Amino acid sequence: MNKTELVAKMAESAELTKAEAARALKSFEETVAEAMKNGDKISIVGFGSFETTQRAARTGRNPQTGKEIQIPAATVPKFKAGKTLKDSVN
């Protein structure tokens, strides 16, 4: 399912127009991104939680040349599915 299909499904199930559903989805994406940027954790009971973790700097290899390269430390987004979501998928 791509973003357009998701917006259409949201609009249908919430009885919204596609434009309203698109704005709601965009607002959700922006809110989650801003919170994660600030280091906050977002928990939606039953669905899951969004947070950031730190990845340490490490040495990697260029697969084309085999030469070692330094990969810098980074802050990465992380999603952990909640029990209700896990149970509905299984």
Side-chain angles (χ1 to χ4, degrees):
M1 177 181 290
N2 63 30
K3 190 172 183 175
T4 304
E5 294 167 337
L6 176 61
V7 167
K9 186 69 174 172
M10 287 173 54
E12 179 185 325
S13 66
E15 297 179 0
L16 301 170
T17 65
K18 286 184 182 179
E20 290 169 335
R23 281 196 307 273
L25 181 59
K26 182 175 172 126
S27 176
F28 175 76
E29 291 170 346
E30 290 171 351
T31 303
V32 169
E34 185 65 29
M36 292 176 78
K37 183 179 175 183
N38 294 333
D40 297 334
K41 179 178 178 179
I42 300 166
S43 295
I44 303 171
V45 176
F47 182 73
S49 59
F50 299 87
E51 62 184 317
T52 57
T53 59
Q54 297 295 320
R55 186 183 304 157
R58 62 193 190 281
T59 302
R61 286 200 183 274
N62 180 333
Q64 292 180 333
T65 64
K67 183 178 178 183
E68 287 190 353
I69 57 172
Q70 290 299 315
I71 301 169
T75 302
V76 294
K78 179 180 169 183
F79 174 76
K80 183 176 178 186
K83 183 174 180 357
T84 305
L85 179 61
K86 287 180 189 177
D87 291 346
S88 69
V89 171
N90 289 324

